[in-house]
Amino acid sequence: MECVRPKDGSKLLIRKVKKEFEFTPNLDELSDLMEVSGNPSRLKILALLYRYQEACVCDIADVLELTVPAISQHLGKLKSHSLIDSRREAQTIYYFLTNHPFNKRLTTVFAGLGEW
Amino acid sequence: MECVRPKDGSKLLIRKVKKEFEFTPNLDELSDLMEVSGNPSRLKILALLYRYQEACVCDIADVLELTVPAISQHLGKLKSHSLIDSRREAQTIYYFLTNHPFNKRLTTVFAGLGEW
DNA sequence: ATAGAGTTTAAGTATCTGCTTAAATACACT
DNA sequence: AGTGTATTTAAGCAGATACTTAAACTCTAT
């Protein structure tokens, strides 16, 4: 894609590419998921759930050394993006990773990391 | 990982996991890269460079309908994370994707999307 | 040396984010 | 019904972000 403008060919290409990037729902969703899971705390939560299958709010708070409301807010965000779900056992709520396609890619990355 | 605390076993597990998440350079780098490329504008820039190999600042600005300084700042950020590089041709600077491992994963995702 | 094109940097602003503490809610147990 | 545990929600604050416009810089062509 050339910068020099007078060439008609490049003007047509610019117009084509502009149209291509006018509506990008797939990129927007990908951006959303990368942003929500890319946060340092939330990525650690996902990594922890990947390795230990499930955990409750106060244990995650203990491990990551954040307050329980902070963890609860992060979990809420991950849940609203369908990356995690939860089950209740008496008073305790356990969170776990869902089968979301994004999680499959992410856990492949986690597997390849070996150590955190 | 259990929430019920009095069990000694769970205390030991918590302590083990806490140590495991004390220093996480790989997760921190992954978080960084996901955050920088997850931004809607920067993800579009990366997608555009993936599909068209290279582009200059003013063409990217035209396509994404942002100002040239805004694009320049985004490109600077991507460059500082080694996700893109640049070459100069007279007065024009062309940006392109690097062979960074993160880009390999990202372009696999782009390829799988088909349409944006 | 000058002018113009292309790009980067500086400064400002509005908005957003992530944490905290406090309060409220949900639930189990008695 | 009351109490305690676990969790969520509300409110506030400090810091960060992404865009803009204006100014400065880099380079080419003359």
Side-chain angles (χ1 to χ4, degrees):
Chain A
M1 201 163 59
E2 293 173 61
C3 177
V4 184
R5 292 324 197 80
K7 287 176 182 175
D8 289 348
S10 68
K11 262 183 181 172
L12 286 173
L13 180 59
I14 289 289
R15 207 168 296 169
K16 168 185 176 283
V17 180
K18 216 175 164 101
K19 222 171 184 52
E20 181 182 341
F21 278 88
E22 198 169 8
F23 291 106
T24 55
N26 287 332
L27 281 185
D28 293 344
E29 187 193 0
L30 179 58
S31 160
D32 235 13
L33 293 172
M34 286 175 75
E35 272 189 329
V36 75
S37 51
N39 167 271
S41 300
R42 289 194 291 277
L43 191 63
K44 285 180 181 178
I45 292 172
L46 293 171
L48 192 153
L49 295 182
Y50 161 71
R51 185 154 288 178
Y52 297 99
Q53 279 72 62
E54 65 178 14
C56 66
V57 181
C58 59
D59 273 353
I60 299 175
D62 197 342
V63 167
L64 301 189
E65 293 189 332
L66 287 171
T67 60
V68 165
I71 295 299
S72 188
Q73 282 157 16
H74 284 307
L75 290 168
K77 231 174 195 180
L78 292 170
K79 200 177 188 193
S80 75
H81 284 80
S82 307
L83 293 180
I84 64 172
D85 208 342
S86 59
R87 70 174 180 87
R88 181 185 285 269
E89 187 178 301
Q91 285 180 147
T92 304
I93 301 184
Y94 291 97
Y95 289 86
F96 52 88
L97 294 183
T98 61
N99 279 333
H100 196 291
F102 186 84
N103 273 338
K104 293 185 185 308
R105 295 186 176 282
L106 192 58
T107 55
T108 297
V109 178
F110 285 156
L113 285 186
E115 288 186 27
W116 301 137
Chain B
M1 202 164 56
E2 293 173 60
C3 179
V4 184
R5 292 323 199 81
K7 287 177 182 175
D8 290 349
S10 68
K11 262 181 181 173
L12 286 173
L13 180 58
I14 288 288
R15 206 168 296 169
K16 169 185 174 285
V17 180
K18 215 176 165 100
K19 221 171 183 57
E20 181 182 341
F21 279 87
E22 200 170 7
F23 292 105
T24 55
N26 287 333
L27 281 183
D28 293 343
E29 187 193 358
L30 179 59
S31 160
D32 234 12
L33 293 171
M34 287 175 74
E35 272 188 329
V36 75
S37 50
N39 168 271
S41 300
R42 290 195 290 276
L43 191 62
K44 285 179 179 178
I45 292 172
L46 293 171
L48 191 154
L49 295 182
Y50 160 70
R51 184 154 288 179
Y52 297 98
Q53 280 74 61
E54 65 177 13
C56 65
V57 181
C58 60
D59 273 353
I60 300 175
D62 197 343
V63 167
L64 302 188
E65 292 189 333
L66 287 171
T67 60
V68 165
I71 295 300
S72 187
Q73 284 157 15
H74 283 308
L75 289 169
K77 230 173 194 180
L78 292 170
K79 201 178 190 194
S80 76
H81 284 79
S82 306
L83 293 180
I84 65 173
D85 208 341
S86 60
R87 70 174 180 85
R88 181 186 285 268
E89 185 176 304
Q91 287 179 145
T92 305
I93 300 183
Y94 291 97
Y95 290 87
F96 52 88
L97 294 183
T98 60
N99 278 334
H100 196 292
F102 186 85
N103 273 336
K104 294 184 185 307
R105 295 186 176 281
L106 192 59
T107 56
T108 298
V109 178
F110 285 156
L113 285 186
E115 286 186 30
W116 300 140

